[in-house]
Amino acid sequence: MQPADADGFPIGRHPGWPARLGPLITARGAVALRPPRLRDGAAWSRIRLQDRAYLQEWEPTVVGGWQERNARMAWPAQWSALRGMARRGQALPFSITVDGDFAGQLTVGNIVRGALRSGWIGYWVASRLAGGGIATAAVALAVDHCFGAVGLHRLEATVRPENQPSVRVLEKSGFRREGLFHRYLDVAGAWRDHYVYALTIEEIPGGAVHRLIESGGASRP
Ligand code: ACO
C-alpha cells in the first residue's frame, strides 16, 4: 500500500503534494495552507451560503442553485473531486486557514508539466476576513511552493477587470498583466472579459514570501 499522510493523500507521487504551507502573520491572524479535509464541510458551507452575493459575482457559472451546490451535503463530492485532481497531479487544492480555522480556498489548477510547467491560481476568502492581507499571504505561500517543490515555471491568473480586490492581490504578489481575454468565461450568467495575469520564476528571484515580508504585508511567526 502506498504511504499516506495524515489526510490520506498518497505521499511522493507528485512533487510538492501533499503540502502544508505557512503560517505567515497578517493583520487578521496566522495564514496557512493545507489540503482540504472532509471536516471542512461545515465551515465551507456556512461561509459560502452567507457570502453568496460576494462570491457569486466572480465565480464561474455552474449548473444547479447556489443553495444546493454549497450545502454542507455538497462538500464531500467537491472534496473528493479536488482530492482526485490532486492525486492525478492536475491540481493543488488548498484550504486557507486563519489561526487554524477554515477561511477560504486557494487552488492551483490545470497543472501542465513537460516544457510548459505551468498552472493557474484562484482563491476566495470569507468576507468577514477580507481586506486584511489573507489572500495575498496565501498567494505568496502558493507561489513559492509552486516555483520550489512543485517545479513549475509559470503561474497564470484570470480576473474580471471589475474585481479590484483580486486585481490588487495579483499586483501585490508580483503578477504582471499580459492582456485581456474577451468574453472569456461564463461568470454569474454572462460571458465576461478577463484580464490575464502571469508570473514566471525569473521575475521573483527572492521569492514571493520574501517580497511580501519586505513590503510589510506579513511577517514570519
Ligand atoms: N477597490 C479597490 N481595492 C480594494 C477594494 C475595492 N473595492 N476592496 C478591497 N480592496 C483592496 C484592499 O485594500 C487590498 O489592497 P491593499 O493591501 O493595497 O489595501 C486588496 O484589495 C485585497 O488584498 P487582501 O486583503 O490580501 O485580500 P483579501 O484577503 O481581502 O481577499 C479576495 C481578496 C480573495 C479577492 C476576496 O475579496 C474574495 O474572496 N472575493 C470574492 C471571490 C473572488 O473575487 N475571488 C477571486 C477571483 S479571481 C482569481 O481567483 C484569480
Side-chain angles (χ1 to χ4, degrees):
M1 213 169 105
Q2 180 148 12
D5 81 336
D7 296 306
F9 282 98
I11 294 169
R13 262 170 86 165
H14 298 289
W17 189 259
R20 287 174 187 72
L21 311 178
L24 283 177
I25 308 302
T26 68
R28 296 280 189 273
V31 175
L33 299 179
R34 60 156 171 78
R37 294 179 181 155
L38 192 52
R39 60 180 178 277
D40 287 336
W44 171 85
S45 173
R46 188 178 59 249
I47 296 169
R48 292 190 54 88
L49 292 178
Q50 271 168 6
D51 280 351
R52 175 179 178 162
Y54 157 86
L55 295 169
Q56 201 170 19
E57 212 180 331
W58 314 116
E59 293 196 358
T61 307
V62 180
V63 179
W66 186 267
Q67 199 73 23
E68 169 198 334
R69 284 193 292 109
N70 293 284
R72 190 171 171 172
M73 277 170 59
W75 174 248
Q78 293 223 18
W79 169 77
S80 172
L82 291 170
R83 205 177 150 82
M85 287 191 291
R87 275 197 169 140
R88 292 189 294 275
Q90 296 164 341
L92 308 170
F94 290 106
S95 290
I96 303 173
T97 61
V98 176
D99 293 337
D101 294 331
F102 180 90
Q105 290 176 281
L106 179 147
T107 304
V108 180
N110 198 28
I111 293 177
V112 181
R113 293 195 177 267
L116 197 56
R117 297 203 284 286
S118 138
W120 55 248
I121 192 163
Y123 39 75
W124 65 269
V125 168
S127 65
R128 71 179 177 82
L129 295 166
I134 294 171
T136 306
V139 168
L141 289 168
V143 164
D144 283 0
H145 186 61
C146 286
F147 290 160
V150 181
L152 299 186
H153 169 253
R154 175 181 160 96
L155 286 168
E156 290 181 357
T158 53
V159 59
R160 290 179 62 186
E162 301 84 356
N163 192 347
Q164 281 306 308
S166 184
V167 164
R168 276 294 298 147
V169 167
L170 294 170
E171 291 185 346
K172 284 192 289 179
S173 304
F175 281 71
R176 172 178 39 75
R177 191 188 299 170
E178 289 196 334
L180 180 71
F181 289 163
H182 294 269
R183 296 171 295 285
Y184 173 65
L185 196 63
D186 185 351
V187 171
W191 293 106
R192 312 286 184 177
D193 292 351
H194 280 68
Y195 286 138
V196 56
Y197 278 83
L199 180 66
T200 64
I201 193 168
E202 297 84 355
E203 294 171 278
I204 196 139
V209 167
H210 175 74
R211 180 191 151 118
L212 180 62
I213 290 172
E214 288 288 294
S215 72
S219 59
R220 292 196 197 273

